[in-house]
Coordinates of all heavy atoms in Angstrom, one line a residue:
M5 N -8.3 -33.8 -39.4 CA -8.4 -33.1 -38.2 C -7.2 -33.2 -37.2 O -7.3 -33.8 -36.2 CB -9.7 -33.5 -37.4 CG -10.9 -33.5 -38.2 SD -11.8 -32.1 -37.7 CE -13.1 -32.1 -38.9
P6 N -6.1 -32.7 -37.6 CA -4.8 -32.8 -36.8 C -4.9 -32.1 -35.5 O -4.2 -32.5 -34.6 CB -3.8 -32.1 -37.7 CG -4.4 -31.7 -38.9 CD -5.8 -32.0 -38.9
F7 N -5.8 -31.1 -35.3 CA -5.9 -30.5 -34.0 C -6.5 -31.4 -32.9 O -6.4 -31.1 -31.7 CB -6.6 -29.2 -34.1 CG -8.1 -29.3 -34.3 CD1 -9.0 -29.4 -33.3 CD2 -8.6 -29.4 -35.6 CE1 -10.4 -29.6 -33.5 CE2 -9.9 -29.6 -35.9 CZ -10.8 -29.7 -34.8
L8 N -7.1 -32.5 -33.3 CA -7.7 -33.4 -32.3 C -6.7 -34.3 -31.6 O -6.9 -34.8 -30.6 CB -8.8 -34.3 -33.0 CG -10.0 -33.5 -33.5 CD1 -11.0 -34.5 -34.2 CD2 -10.7 -32.8 -32.4
I9 N -5.5 -34.5 -32.3 CA -4.5 -35.3 -31.7 C -4.0 -34.8 -30.3 O -4.0 -35.5 -29.3 CB -3.3 -35.5 -32.7 CG1 -3.7 -36.3 -33.9 CG2 -2.1 -36.1 -32.0 CD1 -2.7 -36.3 -35.0
P10 N -3.7 -33.5 -30.2 CA -3.3 -33.0 -28.9 C -4.4 -33.0 -27.9 O -4.2 -33.3 -26.7 CB -2.8 -31.5 -29.1 CG -2.7 -31.4 -30.6 CD -3.5 -32.5 -31.2
V11 N -5.6 -32.8 -28.3 CA -6.8 -32.9 -27.4 C -6.9 -34.3 -26.9 O -7.1 -34.5 -25.7 CB -8.1 -32.4 -28.1 CG1 -9.3 -32.7 -27.2 CG2 -8.0 -31.0 -28.5
G12 N -6.8 -35.3 -27.8 CA -6.9 -36.7 -27.3 C -5.8 -37.1 -26.4 O -6.0 -37.7 -25.4
A13 N -4.6 -36.6 -26.7 CA -3.4 -36.9 -25.8 C -3.6 -36.3 -24.5 O -3.3 -36.9 -23.4 CB -2.1 -36.4 -26.5
A14 N -4.1 -35.1 -24.4 CA -4.3 -34.4 -23.1 C -5.4 -35.1 -22.3 O -5.3 -35.3 -21.1 CB -4.7 -33.0 -23.4
L15 N -6.4 -35.6 -23.0 CA -7.5 -36.3 -22.2 C -7.0 -37.6 -21.7 O -7.3 -38.0 -20.5 CB -8.7 -36.6 -23.2 CG -9.5 -35.3 -23.5 CD1 -10.6 -35.6 -24.5 CD2 -10.2 -34.7 -22.2
I16 N -6.2 -38.3 -22.5 CA -5.6 -39.6 -22.0 C -4.7 -39.3 -20.8 O -4.7 -40.0 -19.8 CB -4.9 -40.3 -23.1 CG1 -5.9 -40.9 -24.1 CG2 -4.0 -41.5 -22.6 CD1 -5.3 -41.5 -25.4
A17 N -3.8 -38.3 -20.9 CA -2.9 -38.0 -19.8 C -3.7 -37.6 -18.5 O -3.4 -38.0 -17.4 CB -2.0 -36.8 -20.2
R18 N -4.8 -36.8 -18.7 CA -5.6 -36.5 -17.6 C -6.2 -37.7 -16.9 O -6.2 -37.8 -15.7 CB -6.8 -35.5 -18.0 CG -7.7 -35.1 -16.9 CD -9.0 -34.5 -17.5 NE -10.0 -34.3 -16.5 CZ -10.8 -35.3 -16.0 NH1 -10.7 -36.5 -16.5 NH2 -11.7 -35.1 -15.1
E19 N -6.7 -38.6 -17.7 CA -7.3 -39.9 -17.2 C -6.3 -40.7 -16.4 O -6.6 -41.2 -15.3 CB -7.9 -40.7 -18.3 CG -9.1 -40.1 -18.9 CD -9.5 -40.8 -20.2 OE1 -8.8 -41.8 -20.6 OE2 -10.6 -40.4 -20.8
Q20 N -5.0 -40.7 -16.9 CA -4.0 -41.4 -16.2 C -3.6 -40.8 -14.9 O -3.4 -41.4 -13.9 CB -2.8 -41.6 -17.1 CG -3.0 -42.5 -18.2 CD -1.8 -42.6 -19.2 OE1 -0.8 -41.8 -19.1 NE2 -1.8 -43.6 -20.1
V21 N -3.6 -39.4 -14.9 CA -3.3 -38.7 -13.6 C -4.4 -38.9 -12.6 O -4.1 -39.2 -11.4 CB -3.1 -37.2 -13.9 CG1 -3.1 -36.4 -12.6 CG2 -1.8 -36.9 -14.7
V22 N -5.6 -38.9 -13.0 CA -6.8 -39.1 -12.1 C -6.7 -40.5 -11.6 O -6.9 -40.7 -10.4 CB -8.1 -38.8 -12.9 CG1 -9.3 -39.3 -12.0 CG2 -8.3 -37.3 -13.2
A23 N -6.4 -41.5 -12.4 CA -6.3 -42.9 -11.9 C -5.2 -43.0 -10.9 O -5.4 -43.7 -9.9 CB -6.0 -43.8 -13.1
R24 N -4.1 -42.4 -11.1 CA -2.9 -42.5 -10.1 C -3.3 -41.8 -8.8 O -3.0 -42.3 -7.8 CB -1.7 -41.8 -10.7 CG -1.1 -42.4 -11.9 CD -0.4 -43.8 -11.6 NE 0.2 -44.3 -12.8 CZ -0.3 -45.3 -13.5 NH1 -1.4 -45.9 -13.1 NH2 0.3 -45.8 -14.6
V25 N -4.0 -40.7 -8.9 CA -4.4 -40.0 -7.7 C -5.4 -40.8 -6.9 O -5.3 -40.9 -5.7 CB -5.0 -38.6 -8.0 CG1 -5.7 -37.9 -6.8 CG2 -3.9 -37.6 -8.5
N26 N -6.3 -41.4 -7.6 CA -7.3 -42.3 -7.0 C -6.6 -43.5 -6.3 O -7.0 -43.9 -5.2 CB -8.4 -42.7 -7.9 CG -9.4 -41.6 -8.3 OD1 -9.5 -40.7 -7.5 ND2 -10.0 -41.7 -9.4
D27 N -5.6 -44.1 -7.0 CA -4.9 -45.2 -6.4 C -4.2 -44.7 -5.1 O -4.2 -45.4 -4.1 CB -3.8 -45.7 -7.4 CG -4.4 -46.5 -8.5 OD1 -5.6 -46.9 -8.4 OD2 -3.7 -46.8 -9.5
T28 N -3.6 -43.6 -5.2 CA -2.9 -43.1 -4.0 C -3.8 -42.8 -2.9 O -3.5 -43.1 -1.7 CB -2.1 -41.8 -4.4 OG1 -1.2 -42.1 -5.5 CG2 -1.3 -41.3 -3.2
I29 N -5.0 -42.2 -3.2 CA -6.0 -41.9 -2.1 C -6.4 -43.3 -1.6 O -6.6 -43.4 -0.3 CB -7.1 -41.1 -2.7 CG1 -6.7 -39.7 -3.0 CG2 -8.3 -41.1 -1.7 CD1 -7.7 -38.8 -3.7
G30 N -6.7 -44.2 -2.4 CA -7.1 -45.6 -1.9 C -6.0 -46.2 -1.0 O -6.3 -46.9 0.0
T31 N -4.8 -46.0 -1.3 CA -3.7 -46.6 -0.6 C -3.4 -45.8 0.7 O -3.2 -46.5 1.8 CB -2.4 -46.5 -1.4 OG1 -2.6 -47.2 -2.6 CG2 -1.2 -47.2 -0.7
F32 N -3.5 -44.5 0.7 CA -3.2 -43.7 1.9 C -4.4 -43.0 2.4 O -4.3 -42.0 3.2 CB -2.1 -42.7 1.6 CG -0.8 -43.3 1.2 CD1 -0.4 -43.4 -0.1 CD2 0.1 -43.7 2.2 CE1 0.8 -43.9 -0.5 CE2 1.3 -44.3 1.8 CZ 1.7 -44.4 0.5
G33 N -5.6 -43.4 2.0 CA -6.8 -42.6 2.4 C -7.2 -42.5 3.8 O -7.7 -41.4 4.2
T34 N -6.8 -43.4 4.6 CA -7.1 -43.4 6.1 C -5.8 -43.5 6.8 O -4.8 -44.0 6.3 CB -8.1 -44.5 6.5 OG1 -7.4 -45.8 6.3 CG2 -9.4 -44.5 5.7
P35 N -5.8 -43.1 8.1 CA -4.6 -43.2 8.9 C -4.1 -44.6 9.0 O -2.9 -44.9 8.9 CB -5.0 -42.6 10.2 CG -6.1 -41.7 10.0 CD -6.8 -42.3 8.8
S36 N -5.0 -45.6 9.2 CA -4.6 -47.0 9.3 C -4.0 -47.5 8.0 O -3.0 -48.2 8.0 CB -5.8 -47.8 9.7 OG -6.8 -47.8 8.7
K37 N -4.6 -47.1 6.8 CA -4.0 -47.5 5.6 C -2.6 -46.8 5.4 O -1.7 -47.5 4.9 CB -4.9 -47.1 4.4 CG -6.1 -47.9 4.2 CD -6.9 -47.5 3.0 CE -8.1 -48.4 2.8 NZ -8.9 -47.9 1.6
A38 N -2.5 -45.6 5.8 CA -1.2 -44.9 5.6 C -0.2 -45.6 6.5 O 1.0 -45.8 6.1 CB -1.4 -43.4 6.0
N39 N -0.6 -45.9 7.8 CA 0.4 -46.6 8.7 C 0.8 -48.0 8.1 O 1.9 -48.4 8.2 CB -0.2 -46.8 10.1 CG -0.2 -45.5 10.8 OD1 0.7 -44.7 10.6 ND2 -1.1 -45.3 11.8
A40 N -0.2 -48.7 7.5 CA 0.1 -50.0 6.9 C 1.1 -49.8 5.8 O 2.1 -50.6 5.7 CB -1.2 -50.6 6.4
Q41 N 1.0 -48.8 5.0 CA 1.9 -48.6 3.9 C 3.3 -48.2 4.4 O 4.3 -48.7 3.9 CB 1.4 -47.5 3.0 CG 0.3 -47.9 2.0 CD 0.8 -49.0 1.1 OE1 1.8 -49.0 0.5 NE2 0.0 -50.1 1.0
L42 N 3.3 -47.4 5.5 CA 4.6 -47.0 6.1 C 5.3 -48.2 6.6 O 6.5 -48.4 6.5 CB 4.4 -45.9 7.1 CG 3.9 -44.6 6.6 CD1 3.6 -43.6 7.7 CD2 5.0 -44.0 5.6
R43 N 4.6 -49.1 7.3 CA 5.2 -50.3 7.8 C 5.7 -51.2 6.7 O 6.8 -51.8 6.8 CB 4.2 -51.1 8.7 CG 4.0 -50.5 10.1 CD 3.2 -51.5 11.0 NE 1.9 -51.9 10.4 CZ 0.8 -51.2 10.5 NH1 0.8 -50.1 11.2 NH2 -0.4 -51.6 10.0
K44 N 5.0 -51.2 5.6 CA 5.4 -52.0 4.4 C 6.7 -51.4 3.9 O 7.7 -52.1 3.6 CB 4.3 -51.9 3.4 CG 4.5 -52.8 2.2 CD 3.3 -52.6 1.3 CE 3.4 -53.4 0.0 NZ 2.2 -53.2 -0.8
F45 N 6.8 -50.1 3.8 CA 8.0 -49.4 3.3 C 9.2 -49.7 4.3 O 10.3 -50.0 3.8 CB 7.8 -47.9 3.2 CG 6.8 -47.5 2.2 CD1 6.2 -46.3 2.3 CD2 6.5 -48.3 1.1 CE1 5.3 -45.9 1.3 CE2 5.6 -47.9 0.1 CZ 5.0 -46.7 0.3
E46 N 8.9 -49.7 5.6 CA 9.9 -49.9 6.6 C 10.5 -51.3 6.4 O 11.7 -51.6 6.5 CB 9.4 -49.7 8.0 CG 10.4 -49.7 9.0 CD 9.9 -49.4 10.4 OE1 8.6 -49.4 10.6 OE2 10.7 -49.2 11.3
R47 N 9.6 -52.3 6.3 CA 10.0 -53.7 6.1 C 10.9 -53.9 4.9 O 11.9 -54.5 4.9 CB 8.8 -54.6 6.0 CG 8.2 -55.0 7.4 CD 7.2 -56.1 7.3 NE 6.2 -56.0 6.2 CZ 5.0 -55.4 6.3 NH1 4.7 -54.8 7.5 NH2 4.2 -55.3 5.3
R48 N 10.5 -53.2 3.8 CA 11.2 -53.3 2.5 C 12.6 -52.7 2.7 O 13.6 -53.2 2.2 CB 10.4 -52.6 1.5 CG 11.1 -52.5 0.1 CD 11.1 -53.9 -0.6 NE 12.0 -53.9 -1.7 CZ 11.7 -53.4 -2.9 NH1 10.5 -53.0 -3.2 NH2 12.6 -53.5 -3.9
G49 N 12.6 -51.5 3.4 CA 13.9 -50.9 3.6 C 14.8 -51.7 4.5 O 16.0 -51.8 4.3
N50 N 14.2 -52.3 5.5 CA 15.0 -53.2 6.4 C 15.6 -54.4 5.7 O 16.7 -54.8 5.9 CB 14.1 -53.6 7.6 CG 14.8 -54.3 8.7 OD1 16.0 -54.0 8.9 ND2 14.2 -55.2 9.4
T51 N 14.8 -55.0 4.8 CA 15.2 -56.1 4.1 C 16.4 -55.7 3.1 O 17.4 -56.4 3.0 CB 14.1 -56.7 3.2 OG1 13.0 -57.1 4.1 CG2 14.5 -57.9 2.4
A52 N 16.2 -54.6 2.5 CA 17.3 -54.1 1.6 C 18.6 -53.8 2.4 O 19.7 -54.2 1.9 CB 16.8 -52.9 0.9
R53 N 18.4 -53.2 3.5 CA 19.6 -52.9 4.4 C 20.3 -54.2 4.8 O 21.5 -54.3 4.7 CB 19.2 -52.1 5.6 CG 20.5 -51.7 6.4 CD 20.1 -51.2 7.8 NE 19.6 -52.3 8.5 CZ 18.7 -52.2 9.5 NH1 18.2 -51.1 9.8 NH2 18.3 -53.3 10.1
N54 N 19.5 -55.2 5.2 CA 20.1 -56.5 5.7 C 20.8 -57.1 4.5 O 21.9 -57.7 4.7 CB 19.1 -57.4 6.3 CG 18.5 -56.9 7.6 OD1 19.2 -56.0 8.2 ND2 17.4 -57.4 8.0
R55 N 20.2 -57.1 3.4 CA 20.8 -57.8 2.2 C 22.2 -57.1 1.9 O 23.2 -57.7 1.6 CB 19.9 -57.7 1.0 CG 20.4 -58.4 -0.2 CD 19.3 -58.5 -1.3 NE 18.2 -59.2 -0.8 CZ 16.9 -58.8 -1.0 NH1 16.6 -57.7 -1.6 NH2 15.9 -59.6 -0.5
L56 N 22.2 -55.7 1.9 CA 23.4 -55.0 1.6 C 24.5 -55.3 2.7 O 25.6 -55.5 2.3 CB 23.1 -53.5 1.6 CG 24.3 -52.6 1.4 CD1 24.9 -52.8 0.0 CD2 23.9 -51.1 1.6
E57 N 24.1 -55.3 3.9 CA 25.1 -55.6 5.0 C 25.7 -57.0 4.8 O 26.9 -57.2 5.0 CB 24.4 -55.5 6.4 CG 24.2 -54.1 6.8 CD 23.5 -53.9 8.1 OE1 23.0 -55.0 8.6 OE2 23.3 -52.8 8.6
R58 N 24.8 -58.0 4.4 CA 25.4 -59.3 4.2 C 26.3 -59.3 3.0 O 27.4 -60.0 3.1 CB 24.2 -60.3 3.9 CG 23.8 -61.2 5.0 CD 22.8 -62.3 4.5 NE 21.8 -61.9 3.6 CZ 20.6 -61.4 4.0 NH1 20.3 -61.2 5.3 NH2 19.7 -61.1 3.1
E59 N 26.0 -58.6 2.0 CA 26.9 -58.6 0.8 C 28.2 -57.9 1.2 O 29.2 -58.4 0.7 CB 26.1 -57.8 -0.3 CG 26.5 -58.1 -1.7 CD 26.5 -59.6 -2.0 OE1 25.6 -60.3 -1.7 OE2 27.5 -60.0 -2.7
V60 N 28.1 -56.8 2.0 CA 29.4 -56.1 2.4 C 30.2 -57.1 3.2 O 31.4 -57.1 3.0 CB 29.0 -54.9 3.1 CG1 30.2 -54.3 3.9 CG2 28.4 -53.8 2.2
R61 N 29.6 -57.8 4.2 CA 30.4 -58.7 5.0 C 31.1 -59.8 4.1 O 32.2 -60.1 4.3 CB 29.5 -59.4 6.0 CG 29.3 -58.6 7.3 CD 28.7 -59.4 8.4 NE 27.5 -60.0 8.1 CZ 26.3 -59.5 8.2 NH1 26.2 -58.3 8.7 NH2 25.2 -60.1 7.9
K62 N 30.3 -60.4 3.2 CA 30.9 -61.4 2.3 C 32.0 -60.9 1.5 O 33.1 -61.5 1.4 CB 29.8 -62.0 1.4 CG 28.8 -62.9 2.0 CD 27.6 -63.3 1.2 CE 28.0 -63.7 -0.2 NZ 26.8 -64.1 -1.0
T63 N 31.9 -59.7 1.0 CA 32.9 -59.1 0.2 C 34.2 -58.8 1.1 O 35.3 -59.1 0.6 CB 32.4 -57.8 -0.5 OG1 31.3 -58.1 -1.3 CG2 33.5 -57.1 -1.3
R64 N 33.9 -58.3 2.3 CA 35.1 -58.0 3.2 C 35.8 -59.3 3.5 O 37.1 -59.3 3.4 CB 34.6 -57.3 4.5 CG 35.7 -56.8 5.3 CD 35.3 -56.4 6.7 NE 35.1 -57.6 7.5 CZ 33.9 -57.8 8.2 NH1 32.9 -57.0 8.2 NH2 33.8 -58.9 8.9
V65 N 35.1 -60.3 3.8 CA 35.7 -61.6 4.1 C 36.6 -62.1 3.0 O 37.7 -62.6 3.1 CB 34.7 -62.6 4.6 CG1 35.3 -64.0 4.6 CG2 34.1 -62.2 6.0
R66 N 36.0 -62.0 1.7 CA 36.7 -62.5 0.5 C 37.9 -61.7 0.3 O 39.0 -62.2 0.0 CB 35.7 -62.4 -0.7 CG 36.4 -62.9 -2.0 CD 35.4 -62.8 -3.1 NE 34.8 -61.5 -3.3 CZ 35.4 -60.4 -3.8 NH1 36.6 -60.5 -4.3 NH2 34.7 -59.3 -4.0
V67 N 37.9 -60.4 0.4 CA 39.0 -59.5 0.2 C 40.1 -59.8 1.3 O 41.3 -59.9 0.9 CB 38.6 -58.0 0.2 CG1 39.8 -57.1 0.3 CG2 37.8 -57.7 -1.0
E68 N 39.7 -59.9 2.5 CA 40.7 -60.2 3.6 C 41.4 -61.5 3.3 O 42.6 -61.7 3.5 CB 40.0 -60.2 5.0 CG 39.6 -58.9 5.5 CD 38.7 -58.9 6.7 OE1 38.3 -60.0 7.1 OE2 38.5 -57.9 7.3
R69 N 40.6 -62.5 2.9 CA 41.2 -63.8 2.6 C 42.2 -63.7 1.4 O 43.3 -64.2 1.5 CB 40.1 -64.9 2.2 CG 40.7 -66.2 1.9 CD 39.6 -67.3 1.7 NE 38.5 -66.9 0.8 CZ 37.2 -66.6 1.2 NH1 36.9 -66.8 2.5 NH2 36.3 -66.3 0.3
E70 N 41.8 -63.0 0.4 CA 42.8 -62.8 -0.7 C 44.0 -62.1 -0.3 O 45.1 -62.4 -0.7 CB 42.1 -62.0 -1.9 CG 41.0 -62.8 -2.6 CD 40.2 -62.0 -3.6 OE1 40.6 -60.8 -3.8 OE2 39.3 -62.5 -4.2
V71 N 43.9 -61.1 0.6 CA 45.0 -60.3 1.1 C 45.9 -61.2 1.9 O 47.2 -61.2 1.7 CB 44.6 -59.1 1.9 CG1 45.8 -58.5 2.7 CG2 44.0 -58.0 1.0
R72 N 45.3 -62.1 2.8 CA 46.2 -63.0 3.5 C 46.9 -64.0 2.6 O 48.1 -64.2 2.8 CB 45.3 -63.8 4.5 CG 45.0 -63.1 5.8 CD 44.4 -64.0 6.8 NE 43.3 -64.9 6.3 CZ 42.0 -64.5 6.3 NH1 41.7 -63.3 6.8 NH2 41.1 -65.3 5.9
Q73 N 46.2 -64.5 1.6 CA 46.9 -65.5 0.7 C 48.0 -64.8 -0.1 O 49.1 -65.4 -0.2 CB 45.8 -66.0 -0.2 CG 44.9 -67.0 0.4 CD 43.7 -67.4 -0.5 OE1 43.5 -66.8 -1.5 NE2 43.0 -68.4 -0.1
T74 N 47.7 -63.6 -0.5 CA 48.8 -62.9 -1.3 C 50.0 -62.6 -0.4 O 51.1 -62.7 -0.8 CB 48.2 -61.6 -1.9 OG1 47.1 -61.9 -2.7 CG2 49.2 -60.8 -2.7
R75 N 49.7 -62.1 0.8 CA 50.8 -61.8 1.7 C 51.6 -63.0 2.0 O 52.9 -63.0 2.0 CB 50.3 -61.2 3.0 CG 51.4 -60.9 4.0 CD 50.8 -60.4 5.4 NE 50.2 -59.1 5.2 CZ 49.0 -58.8 5.8 NH1 48.4 -59.6 6.6 NH2 48.5 -57.6 5.5
S76 N 50.9 -64.1 2.3 CA 51.6 -65.4 2.5 C 52.5 -65.8 1.3 O 53.7 -66.2 1.5 CB 50.6 -66.5 2.9 OG 51.2 -67.7 3.0
R77 N 51.9 -65.7 0.1 CA 52.7 -66.1 -1.1 C 53.9 -65.2 -1.2 O 55.0 -65.7 -1.5 CB 51.8 -66.0 -2.3 CG 52.4 -66.5 -3.6 CD 51.5 -66.4 -4.7 NE 50.8 -65.1 -4.9 CZ 51.3 -64.0 -5.4 NH1 52.6 -64.0 -5.7 NH2 50.6 -62.9 -5.4
I78 N 53.8 -63.9 -1.0 CA 54.9 -63.0 -1.2 C 55.9 -63.2 -0.1 O 57.1 -63.3 -0.4 CB 54.4 -61.5 -1.1 CG1 53.6 -61.2 -2.4 CG2 55.5 -60.5 -0.9 CD1 52.9 -59.9 -2.3
E79 N 55.5 -63.5 1.1 CA 56.5 -63.8 2.2 C 57.3 -65.1 1.9 O 58.5 -65.1 2.1 CB 55.8 -63.9 3.5 CG 55.3 -62.6 4.1 CD 54.5 -62.7 5.3 OE1 54.1 -63.8 5.7 OE2 54.2 -61.6 5.9
R80 N 56.6 -66.0 1.3 CA 57.2 -67.3 0.9 C 58.3 -67.0 -0.2 O 59.4 -67.5 -0.1 CB 56.2 -68.3 0.4 CG 56.4 -69.7 0.8 CD 55.3 -70.7 0.5 NE 54.3 -70.3 -0.5 CZ 53.0 -69.9 -0.1 NH1 52.7 -69.9 1.2 NH2 52.1 -69.6 -1.0
E81 N 57.9 -66.2 -1.2 CA 58.8 -65.9 -2.2 C 60.0 -65.1 -1.7 O 61.1 -65.4 -2.1 CB 58.1 -65.0 -3.3 CG 57.1 -65.7 -4.2 CD 57.9 -66.5 -5.3 OE1 58.9 -66.0 -5.7 OE2 57.4 -67.5 -5.6
V82 N 59.8 -64.2 -0.8 CA 60.9 -63.4 -0.2 C 61.9 -64.4 0.5 O 63.1 -64.3 0.3 CB 60.4 -62.3 0.7 CG1 61.5 -61.7 1.5 CG2 59.7 -61.2 -0.1
R83 N 61.3 -65.3 1.3 CA 62.2 -66.2 2.0 C 63.0 -67.0 1.1 O 64.2 -67.3 1.2 CB 61.4 -67.1 2.9 CG 60.9 -66.5 4.2 CD 60.4 -67.5 5.2 NE 59.3 -68.2 4.7 CZ 58.0 -67.9 4.8 NH1 57.7 -66.7 5.3 NH2 57.0 -68.6 4.3
Q84 N 62.4 -67.5 0.0 CA 63.1 -68.3 -1.0 C 64.1 -67.5 -1.7 O 65.3 -68.0 -1.9 CB 62.1 -68.9 -2.0 CG 62.7 -69.8 -3.1 CD 63.3 -71.0 -2.4 OE1 62.7 -71.6 -1.6 NE2 64.5 -71.4 -2.9
R85 N 63.9 -66.3 -2.0 CA 64.9 -65.4 -2.7 C 66.1 -65.2 -1.8 O 67.2 -65.1 -2.2 CB 64.3 -64.1 -3.2 CG 63.2 -64.2 -4.2 CD 63.7 -64.6 -5.5 NE 62.6 -64.7 -6.5 CZ 62.2 -65.8 -7.1 NH1 62.9 -66.9 -6.9 NH2 61.2 -65.8 -7.9
R86 N 65.8 -65.0 -0.5 CA 66.9 -64.8 0.5 C 67.8 -66.0 0.5 O 69.0 -65.9 0.5 CB 66.3 -64.5 1.9 CG 66.0 -63.1 2.1 CD 65.9 -62.7 3.6 NE 65.3 -61.4 3.7 CZ 64.2 -61.1 4.3 NH1 63.5 -62.0 4.9 NH2 63.8 -59.9 4.4
R87 N 67.1 -67.2 0.6 CA 67.9 -68.4 0.7 C 68.7 -68.6 -0.6 O 69.9 -68.9 -0.5 CB 67.0 -69.6 0.8 CG 66.5 -69.8 2.3 CD 65.9 -71.2 2.4 NE 64.6 -71.4 1.7 CZ 63.4 -71.1 2.2 NH1 63.3 -70.7 3.4 NH2 62.4 -71.3 1.4
D88 N 68.1 -68.3 -1.7 CA 68.8 -68.4 -3.0 C 70.0 -67.4 -3.0 O 71.1 -67.7 -3.4 CB 67.9 -68.1 -4.2 CG 66.9 -69.1 -4.4 OD1 67.0 -70.2 -3.8 OD2 65.9 -68.9 -5.2
G89 N 69.8 -66.2 -2.5 CA 70.9 -65.2 -2.5 C 72.0 -65.6 -1.5 O 73.2 -65.4 -1.9
E90 N 71.6 -66.1 -0.4 CA 72.7 -66.6 0.6 C 73.4 -67.7 0.0 O 74.7 -67.8 0.1 CB 72.0 -66.9 1.9 CG 71.5 -65.8 2.7 CD 70.6 -66.2 3.9 OE1 70.4 -67.4 4.0 OE2 70.1 -65.3 4.6
E91 N 72.8 -68.6 -0.6 CA 73.4 -69.8 -1.3 C 74.4 -69.3 -2.4 O 75.5 -69.8 -2.5 CB 72.3 -70.7 -1.9 CG 72.8 -72.1 -2.2 CD 71.6 -72.9 -2.7 OE1 70.7 -73.2 -1.8 OE2 71.6 -73.2 -3.9
L92 N 73.9 -68.4 -3.2 CA 74.8 -67.8 -4.2 C 76.0 -67.1 -3.6 O 77.1 -67.3 -4.1 CB 74.0 -66.9 -5.1 CG 74.7 -66.2 -6.3 CD1 75.2 -67.3 -7.2 CD2 73.8 -65.2 -7.0
A93 N 75.8 -66.4 -2.6 CA 76.9 -65.7 -1.9 C 77.9 -66.7 -1.4 O 79.1 -66.5 -1.5 CB 76.4 -64.8 -0.8
S94 N 77.4 -67.8 -0.8 CA 78.3 -68.8 -0.3 C 79.2 -69.4 -1.4 O 80.4 -69.7 -1.3 CB 77.5 -69.9 0.4 OG 76.9 -69.4 1.6
R95 N 78.5 -69.7 -2.5 CA 79.3 -70.3 -3.6 C 80.3 -69.4 -4.2 O 81.4 -69.8 -4.5 CB 78.3 -70.7 -4.7 CG 77.5 -72.0 -4.3 CD 76.8 -72.6 -5.5 NE 76.1 -71.6 -6.4 CZ 74.8 -71.7 -6.8 NH1 74.1 -72.8 -6.4 NH2 74.3 -70.8 -7.5
V96 N 79.9 -68.1 -4.3 CA 80.9 -67.1 -4.8 C 82.1 -67.0 -3.8 O 83.2 -67.0 -4.3 CB 80.2 -65.7 -5.0 CG1 81.2 -64.6 -5.2 CG2 79.2 -65.8 -6.1
Q97 N 81.8 -67.0 -2.5 CA 82.9 -66.9 -1.6 C 83.8 -68.1 -1.7 O 85.0 -68.0 -1.7 CB 82.4 -66.8 -0.1 CG 81.9 -65.4 0.2 CD 81.3 -65.4 1.6 OE1 81.0 -66.4 2.2 NE2 81.2 -64.2 2.2
E98 N 83.2 -69.3 -1.8 CA 84.0 -70.6 -2.0 C 84.9 -70.5 -3.2 O 86.1 -70.8 -3.2 CB 83.1 -71.8 -2.1 CG 82.6 -72.3 -0.8 CD 81.8 -73.6 -1.0 OE1 82.1 -74.4 -1.9 OE2 80.7 -73.7 -0.3
R99 N 84.3 -70.0 -4.3 CA 85.1 -70.0 -5.5 C 86.3 -69.0 -5.4 O 87.4 -69.2 -5.9 CB 84.2 -69.6 -6.7 CG 83.3 -70.7 -7.1 CD 82.4 -70.4 -8.2 NE 83.2 -70.7 -9.5 CZ 82.7 -70.5 -10.7 NH1 81.5 -70.1 -10.8 NH2 83.5 -70.8 -11.7
I100 N 86.0 -67.8 -4.7 CA 87.0 -66.8 -4.5 C 88.1 -67.4 -3.6 O 89.3 -67.3 -3.9 CB 86.4 -65.5 -3.9 CG1 85.6 -64.8 -4.9 CG2 87.5 -64.6 -3.4 CD1 84.8 -63.6 -4.4
L101 N 87.8 -68.1 -2.6 CA 88.8 -68.7 -1.7 C 89.6 -69.8 -2.4 O 90.8 -70.0 -2.2 CB 88.1 -69.3 -0.5 CG 87.5 -68.3 0.5 CD1 86.8 -69.0 1.7 CD2 88.7 -67.5 1.1
N102 N 88.9 -70.5 -3.3 CA 89.6 -71.6 -4.1 C 90.6 -71.0 -5.1 O 91.6 -71.6 -5.4 CB 88.6 -72.5 -4.8 CG 87.9 -73.4 -3.9 OD1 88.3 -73.7 -2.8 ND2 86.7 -73.9 -4.3
L103 N 90.3 -69.7 -5.6 CA 91.2 -69.1 -6.5 C 92.4 -68.5 -5.8 O 93.4 -68.3 -6.5 CB 90.4 -68.0 -7.3 CG 89.3 -68.5 -8.2 CD1 88.6 -67.3 -8.8 CD2 89.9 -69.3 -9.4
V104 N 92.2 -68.1 -4.6 CA 93.3 -67.5 -3.9 C 94.4 -68.4 -3.3 O 94.4 -69.5 -3.2 CB 92.8 -66.6 -2.7 CG1 93.9 -66.0 -1.9 CG2 91.8 -65.6 -3.2

């Protein structure tokens, strides 16, 4: 009896829909229940927003610290290269003067 399979599936789907509707009516059936659910949603949203803001602040602080450290390292390297260049220029000038 293969035609009974779709009938059985439809009945199970109907029962699940009815159960969900009844759950929803039980949850939001009265104004006080609806308000309680709305407050619950609001608290959950507030918690999620606070968590996201904390995560964003932590990430911003970490990135700013990395940028400062990288900038400092690069500035140190540039100063060292300048000193090396000036030192090399002085030695070249000395050698040229010694040759003349």
